[in-house]
Amino acid sequence: MGETEEIMRLSNPPYYTACPNPFLAGFVQSINKNQNGENDGRQREPFAVDVSEGKSDPIYQAFVYHTKVPPKAIARYIEHYCPADGIVFDGFCGAGMTGVAALQTGRTAILADLAPAATAIAASYTMPPDFQEAEQAAQELIRWLEQNCGWLYQTAHGKAKTPANLDYMIWSEQYRCQQCTNSFSFADVGFDFKMKKPKEKLRCPHCDLRLKADDLERCLDHTGRTIELPARVKYRDSRMKETPVSEVDLAVLRKVDAGEIPYAYPQNWMMNTPPSQNGWGDMWRRGYHAGVWKVTDFYYKRTLWVMAAALHFINQLSVANATRHVLRCTVINSSINLTKMRRAYQGVLPLVLYLPRLRRECNAIRFLADRLQTTLKSLALIPAQRRVFVSTQSSTARFELPDHCVDYIFTDPPFGSNIIYSEVNFLWEAWLGLATNQAPEAIISDKQRKNLPEYQDLMRRCFAEYYRILKPGCWMTVEFHNSRNSVWIAIQEALLQAGFVVADVRTLDKQQMAFKQVVAGGTVKHDLMISAYKPELAVEQRVQLVAGTEASAWEFVRSHLRQLPVFVVQSGRDRAEIVAERQGHQLFDRMVAFHVQRGIMVPLSFAEFLAGLEQRFLSRDGMYFLPEQAAEYDKKRIKVKELLQLELFVSDESSAIQWLKQQFTAKPQTFQELHPQFMKELSGWQKHEQPLELRDLLQQNFLCYDNVSEVPSQIHSYLSSNFKELRHLKKDDPVLRAKAKNRWYVPDPKKAADLERLRERVLLREFEAYQNAKSRTLRVVRLEALRAGFKRAWQERDYRTIITVAQKIPEAVLQEDEKLLMWYDQAKIRSGAEHTHLG
């Protein structure tokens, strides 16, 4: 959002526009040789490698932005998925690291982001200037600033009043004692300058009252702003350490305060919101944002003066647009470290608008000189090619791109309420003269009245546009970083609704943790990398021809197996991993989702599906393969010493069944042997999930040997392998039968189908009880009963039942279960009740 002249001033068409880029279609047509909308024909499987790349790369550090992905990490994905002459796309480009990685690998890229601050930085990275011209212009800028604004920092020190330039000044907030009402400086009472850290014990200097840091009362001036006073200074031209503020320093401040800044600078209300008791956004905090209503409240006057002067000079320069853009963005990007958010002896806390009690005001001229020099040196390391186009727009809107034109998508979207981008970018964007349009911003926000359903719908719309422009059979990598399971489910559901099929999930280790990862409990330490693909048109067509029959299920499974990694070895280790997506229950879930999202009836029950897997595909270590894949797996399996089993955490009935299956596959055992182990696993059981007895789970899902007939193969194989005295005994031998008695085991697929039918009757009876319950809220439910009931209602096209029962269960249950959420969302779509809200 902004005036047309500001959009034009920031843009550098055709490569970068601070609005939706109208040149994208022509760009694609000029370079995309494969106009028929197909991939390059090369079969690819997920990049099944956990990636670790650090943030020390000078290119990475050239500009400050939130949660950047190291370009070297992205480059590895691009080289795997995108052909050399292909197009990479990123609709949540942020600082443009995908574009940098594309340039480093010789690919072409299209970048987009809703935030003008993001696309301005992305354009700086990918739109190389003439570096000789840029360096000369930067030196000219600093010389001009020294001549016209240098007096702002000219002072003197010592008794001799030796001339000096200020390096930095420490400012301290003022507080009032609750007992004696006298004021004091936090610098005097609360900070140990020798140790460079806050004091553990605080006392009022007037009445000696013991003070608590969290209860300190700020002193406010007549405008309602927190009073702060200079406490210490450091001179640039002196070997002296920090000293108390001198009268000369104060005289300079008075002179600055009396003067008028002769250049234009932003005076916007924060988030364009005039003062109110409710603040200006999600990041506003009562207390330390006292009186902070405008952009200018985050800056000292000297900093505003220098920033305004620098941008005025840059706008007057007779240089190329690319040079002017890089200089302007470097100055504006540096402004965050020049705000009052900079702590006295540390930097700015990222991702927040925190104002510390003790702040550092830097010499802005010297700071900009250093940043311009290092930034230009870093940008010179990027290949100087004009192969990246940048558009400023929401990914929920239609791009000026034809269908099926992109070869690969790498994207790092916003996740829930992790970062309120429009707010943390507002200070930058105020200097740019533009602002992020919050309406399509994909976040969870109280101020914007966006909860999880709204966030998921926005993400669905973004992914739907990605699906449209991606070529069939091609891949998308989505980076995920959030500790909330509900957000993880929302992202997966949005992917499925858009038409994508998830094939693999890996981790990305950025080596250095973000601030919130360090201090916040329950945060994830590594990002997850989701590999999803757009099914080929031929597969979609073949499924539609046999829609709703068993053939449609197996057509999908055959196609999906081709997309999955065959063999995954831990990096640098002689150990292989189980590929979770190749397990029966996961294949079933993907098959169901594929059918439901396309409005096709699910043709098979879980037991029928497992029996069909056994008949049609080859099984290895609990995974299923196509014949040629099984041969490849066998060759590689011989070369590794160990196969790591997946760690299972019991949190509900479904995970409990999978855990039991894992235990019995390794060792058929008695109830008495299993019970203590099972009880240890129940600590993570969901509070809304109805607790179940182990005996009920066993009876409904597994078989127990009763010593009546011969010993089943599952038990016989285990006993004969682990007990010498039982080897070579026939299955009906009395000794073997005695040892096998009362052991539970995994039934073969035919008997499993009979068990499932019995279990389904129990589950559906329970679902009917939920359906008929007079209570509007069901506090404790059985998830498997809800899943069975929703599935039956879907098959019968009884969408109203799904919606009605969904409104009775706790919202957390629905939002954190991907299967229930899928049935519910599709029921709303099919019934036309898309605007139904949860109770």
Side-chain angles (χ1 to χ4, degrees):
M1 299 188 299
E3 298 295 329
T4 301
E5 62 182 46
E6 295 297 339
I7 293 173
M8 295 300 294
R9 181 189 310 207
L10 189 59
S11 301
N12 188 15
Y15 296 100
Y16 164 57
T17 58
C19 59
N21 193 327
F23 304 100
L24 296 183
F27 170 55
V28 168
Q29 289 172 2
S30 67
I31 65 169
N32 196 344
K33 300 175 183 178
N34 191 0
Q35 295 291 342
N36 59 6
E38 296 178 357
N39 64 24
D40 63 352
R42 185 159 63 92
Q43 185 68 37
R44 292 175 177 83
E45 60 183 43
F47 184 54
V49 178
D50 293 332
V51 175
S52 177
E53 292 289 353
K55 303 178 181 180
S56 59
D57 187 335
I59 294 173
Y60 181 93
Q61 296 178 332
F63 290 99
V64 177
Y65 202 68
H66 333 292
T67 65
K68 289 189 293 183
V69 182
K72 288 182 180 178
I74 303 175
R76 297 181 66 182
Y77 287 89
I78 290 176
E79 288 175 333
H80 177 81
Y81 286 115
C82 185
D85 60 347
I87 299 175
V88 181
F89 177 84
D90 185 354
F92 291 101
C93 72
M97 294 297 96
T98 300
V100 172
L103 291 174
Q104 290 175 331
T105 59
R107 269 72 168 181
T108 300
I110 297 172
L111 308 180
D113 202 286
L114 178 65
T119 57
I121 297 171
S124 297
Y125 268 120
T126 60
M127 193 171 61
D130 180 318
F131 285 101
Q132 185 175 356
E133 179 187 64
E135 287 176 354
Q136 291 176 351
Q139 292 168 3
E140 189 178 342
L141 166 64
I142 298 304
R143 283 196 298 269
W144 185 87
L145 287 176
E146 292 283 11
Q147 293 170 3
N148 291 271
C149 304
W151 68 270
L152 296 168
Y153 302 102
Q154 287 175 0
T155 180
H157 67 80
K159 294 181 180 180
K161 300 291 189 292
T162 305
N165 287 312
L166 189 74
D167 188 11
Y168 62 82
M169 178 177 283
I170 303 298
W171 292 75
S172 173
E173 289 188 339
Q174 301 296 108
Y175 293 89
R176 179 175 288 106
C177 176
Q178 295 175 333
Q179 179 170 283
C180 68
T181 71
N182 286 309
S183 63
F184 56 86
S185 167
F186 182 78
D188 295 335
V189 173
F191 199 83
D192 185 336
F193 283 94
K194 186 175 182 180
M195 301 300 294
K196 298 290 191 289
K197 66 178 184 178
K199 294 179 180 177
E200 294 182 3
K201 296 181 180 180
L202 285 70
R203 290 191 177 278
C204 173
H206 305 286
C207 67
D208 203 39
L209 176 69
R210 177 73 180 271
L211 304 169
K212 292 183 178 180
D214 293 341
D215 296 334
L216 291 177
E217 178 186 349
R218 284 178 170 82
C219 293
L220 305 180
D221 64 14
H222 68 283
T223 66
R225 289 172 169 81
T226 300
I227 296 174
E228 53 180 327
L229 298 174
R232 297 168 76 86
V233 293
K234 173 73 172 62
Y235 302 111
R236 187 173 185 85
D237 307 323
S238 170
R239 294 182 181 180
M240 295 171 58
K241 297 181 180 180
E242 287 180 2
T243 61
V245 176
S246 71
E247 180 56 38
V248 179
D249 299 322
L250 295 175
V252 174
L253 288 174
R254 287 192 292 269
K255 182 180 178 181
V256 172
D257 194 49
E260 290 290 332
I261 300 177
Y263 314 102
Y265 60 91
Q267 301 191 55
N268 316 45
W269 296 110
M270 281 299 296
M271 304 310 301
N272 299 311
T273 303
S276 72
Q277 290 186 345
N278 297 322
W280 33 255
D282 289 272
M283 302 185 74
W284 178 85
R285 294 292 180 271
R286 189 179 303 279
Y288 70 73
H289 282 142
V292 177
W293 298 115
K294 286 191 171 184
V295 168
T296 51
D297 293 324
F298 280 92
Y299 294 91
Y300 292 102
K301 189 171 182 178
R302 283 187 286 205
T303 304
L304 282 174
W305 203 307
V306 173
M307 288 280 298
L311 294 175
H312 168 79
F313 182 82
I314 291 169
N315 289 336
Q316 308 305 314
L317 281 172
S318 297
V319 293
N321 283 342
T323 297
R324 182 178 294 106
H325 181 85
V326 167
L327 295 181
R328 183 190 296 124
C329 283
T330 302
V331 170
I332 291 174
N333 189 251
S334 301
S335 69
I336 291 298
N337 279 297
L338 295 171
T339 64
K340 294 181 179 182
M341 295 187 293
R342 179 158 185 166
R343 294 168 290 175
Y345 302 105
Q346 295 169 289
V348 176
L349 287 177
L351 313 182
V352 290
L353 297 176
Y354 172 72
L355 291 169
R357 288 167 170 158
L358 214 61
R359 306 162 187 166
R360 175 181 295 206
E361 178 195 8
C362 297
N363 182 321
I365 298 174
R366 299 318 311 159
F367 188 88
L368 291 179
D370 291 341
R371 289 302 303 160
L372 284 165
Q373 183 179 28
T374 57
T375 298
L376 291 175
K377 283 184 177 179
S378 298
L379 294 181
L381 300 174
I382 302 173
Q385 303 173 40
R386 294 296 178 93
R387 302 185 65 170
V388 177
F389 273 47
V390 182
S391 180
T392 309
Q393 66 178 92
S394 168
S395 286
T396 61
R398 187 180 178 91
F399 287 93
E400 291 292 329
L401 290 168
D403 296 351
H404 318 311
C405 66
V406 169
D407 296 274
Y408 173 57
I409 296 174
F410 184 99
T411 193
D412 179 13
F415 295 106
S417 57
N418 269 15
I419 305 172
I420 311 298
Y421 286 90
S422 58
E423 292 187 31
V424 292
N425 286 344
F426 192 77
L427 297 179
W428 282 328
E429 293 177 349
W431 290 100
L432 292 171
L434 303 174
T436 297
N437 180 3
Q438 288 187 322
E441 186 178 15
I443 59 169
I444 296 174
S445 163
D446 291 335
K447 200 71 175 180
Q448 297 183 35
R449 297 181 180 179
K450 293 175 184 173
N451 294 316
L452 194 63
E454 288 77 17
Y455 166 75
Q456 181 183 312
D457 183 62
L458 285 164
M459 291 307 306
R460 176 193 61 78
R461 290 163 59 190
C462 293
F463 288 146
E465 180 62 6
Y466 287 7
Y467 191 87
R468 181 186 72 81
I469 63 176
L470 185 65
K471 292 178 181 177
C474 288
W475 290 83
M476 175 171 70
T477 301
V478 181
E479 183 179 5
F480 176 84
H481 185 98
N482 193 285
S483 59
R484 288 179 56 189
N485 186 51
S486 57
V487 176
W488 171 245
I489 298 301
I491 283 290
Q492 292 188 84
E493 181 64 11
L495 284 168
L496 295 175
Q497 288 178 339
F500 286 101
V501 180
V502 175
D504 191 62
V505 179
R506 295 282 137 187
T507 62
L508 172 65
D509 179 9
K510 298 178 184 176
Q511 295 182 7
Q512 293 172 279
M513 290 190 291
F515 170 75
K516 288 188 177 181
Q517 287 179 290
V518 175
V519 302
T523 57
V524 288
K525 305 305 180 186
H526 300 306
D527 294 2
L528 295 177
M529 309 302 285
I530 307 169
S531 294
Y533 65 89
K534 177 178 179 178
E536 294 181 351
L537 290 176
V539 174
E540 296 273 14
Q541 293 166 356
R542 288 197 296 269
V543 168
Q544 290 296 334
L545 287 174
V546 290
T549 68
E550 286 189 25
S552 68
W554 303 125
E555 182 62 48
F556 166 78
V557 172
R558 273 188 291 271
S559 170
H560 187 53
L561 287 176
R562 291 190 191 97
Q563 306 286 8
L564 302 181
V566 174
F567 197 82
V568 178
V569 179
Q570 283 197 341
S571 180
R573 300 183 182 181
D574 193 18
R575 300 193 297 185
E577 299 178 12
I578 291 288
V579 180
E581 287 288 336
R582 288 190 175 275
Q583 295 184 311
H585 66 280
Q586 198 77 324
L587 290 170
F588 178 73
D589 288 345
R590 297 297 182 212
M591 182 275 292
V592 170
F594 181 85
H595 282 68
V596 170
Q597 299 298 343
R598 288 155 178 77
I600 304 172
M601 294 297 104
V602 180
L604 297 167
S605 68
F606 181 52
E608 292 168 339
F609 182 81
L610 288 182
L613 280 178
E614 292 288 340
Q615 294 171 4
R616 291 171 173 80
F617 306 99
L618 298 178
S619 177
R620 298 289 188 274
D621 297 318
M623 300 176 286
Y624 293 92
F625 298 87
L626 298 171
E628 63 275 15
Q629 293 176 332
E632 179 185 348
Y633 181 85
D634 291 339
K635 289 179 183 178
K636 294 180 178 179
R637 177 72 174 86
I638 297 172
K639 298 178 181 179
V640 298
K641 296 179 180 179
E642 184 181 1
L643 182 68
L644 294 177
Q645 296 295 322
L646 293 172
E647 283 191 65
L648 289 174
F649 300 95
V650 176
S651 58
D652 57 14
E653 184 176 352
S654 178
S655 58
I657 293 170
Q658 292 303 319
W659 183 85
L660 289 169
K661 183 177 180 181
Q662 191 178 79
Q663 302 305 307
F664 292 148
T665 301
K667 176 187 175 182
Q669 50 197 298
T670 65
F671 178 88
Q672 290 75 14
E673 291 173 321
L674 185 69
H675 190 262
Q677 303 173 57
F678 182 75
M679 296 305 293
K680 290 179 183 179
E681 297 291 328
L682 294 182
S683 58
W685 195 267
Q686 296 179 16
K687 64 179 181 179
H688 295 298
E689 169 79 338
Q690 179 180 316
L692 295 172
E693 295 294 333
L694 173 60
R695 200 172 295 278
D696 292 334
L697 284 170
L698 294 176
Q699 290 175 348
Q700 294 177 18
N701 299 279
F702 302 94
L703 296 176
C704 183
Y705 177 62
D706 54 10
N707 200 18
V708 173
S709 57
E710 65 179 26
V711 177
S713 299
Q714 297 92 318
I715 300 178
H716 177 262
S717 176
Y718 167 74
L719 293 178
S720 61
S721 299
N722 290 273
F723 296 91
K724 292 182 180 179
E725 67 276 16
L726 301 180
R727 290 175 185 172
H728 309 300
L729 295 181
K730 294 183 178 180
K731 292 182 179 181
D732 59 355
D733 188 284
V735 176
L736 184 67
R737 289 169 60 179
K739 190 71 174 179
K741 186 178 180 181
N742 295 329
R743 289 182 183 269
W744 291 87
Y745 63 97
V746 180
D748 61 47
K750 292 181 180 178
K751 292 184 179 178
D754 294 333
L755 272 178
E756 189 192 14
R757 280 189 282 271
L758 293 172
R759 178 170 175 268
E760 188 175 28
R761 291 175 195 167
V762 174
L763 295 174
L764 289 175
R765 281 199 299 269
E766 195 149 347
F767 180 80
E768 289 169 2
Y770 299 157
Q771 190 177 351
N772 299 324
K774 295 181 179 180
S775 173
R776 291 186 176 182
T777 304
L778 302 170
R779 299 191 180 279
V780 179
V781 291
R782 188 174 178 183
L783 286 178
E784 289 300 300
L786 290 172
R787 291 166 181 163
F790 279 19
K791 180 183 176 183
R792 183 182 67 174
W794 170 265
Q795 298 291 72
E796 296 175 353
R797 293 185 170 84
D798 184 4
Y799 308 127
R800 178 52 51 189
T801 291
I802 296 174
I803 295 171
T804 301
V805 175
Q807 290 173 332
K808 291 183 178 182
I809 64 178
E811 184 172 352
V813 172
L814 187 63
Q815 297 296 348
E816 296 191 11
D817 189 279
E818 57 184 307
K819 298 182 181 69
L820 296 182
L821 192 59
M822 177 186 68
W823 297 118
Y824 174 67
D825 285 341
Q826 288 300 313
K828 286 196 302 180
I829 293 171
R830 303 295 169 186
S831 67
E834 291 178 294
H835 302 292
T836 301
H837 294 287
L838 297 179

